[in-house]
Amino acid sequence: MPEVRFTIRWPDGTEESCYSPSTAITRHLEAGCTYPMTEFVERARTGLNEASDRVAAKFGFACSSALDQLAQIEATATNQPADSQVTCLSMS
């Protein structure tokens, strides 16, 4: 299953390298796009859960890396202004 690494920029200027175990995330986030915080978190949640589900369908267990990444995104988002924006810088 092809993995995807994506880099995001938080409103405070911090850049974070993120991981998805499948290309499912590319249906929810796009490189070069900026999203309102709540929309970004929802898109990341949907994409990473979908990626984990794809792993479960293939291997019989959820992907803890995808769920850990989602938890990290959600935790970081709580420390950012709710009305701010997140940019997806790249996907590879």
Side-chain angles (χ1 to χ4, degrees), residues 37-90:
M37 180 63 68
T38 55
E39 180 182 344
F40 169 76
V41 172
E42 185 57 37
R43 285 173 174 268
R45 181 180 298 123
T46 301
L48 290 167
N49 281 324
E50 185 178 320
S52 181
D53 290 347
R54 289 179 73 184
V55 170
K58 185 170 184 174
F59 298 108
F61 52 87
C63 179
S64 60
S65 294
L67 301 177
D68 289 347
Q69 181 64 74
L70 175 56
Q72 176 63 40
I73 287 171
E74 290 174 332
T76 302
T78 63
N79 295 319
Q80 305 288 329
D83 62 347
S84 59
Q85 298 186 333
V86 178
T87 301
C88 180
L89 298 172
S90 65

Side-chain angles (χ1 to χ4, degrees), residues 17-28:
S17 178
C18 301
Y19 170 82
S20 172
S22 85
T23 58
I25 193 71
T26 63
R27 288 191 291 280
H28 304 280

Side-chain angles (χ1 to χ4, degrees), residues 3-4 6-7 14 33 38 44-45 48 53 57 66 70 77 87 91-92:
E3 65 183 35
V4 174
F6 56 104
T7 303
T14 304
C33 287
T38 55
R45 181 180 298 123
L48 290 167
D53 290 347
L70 175 56
T87 301
M91 300 190 101
S92 60

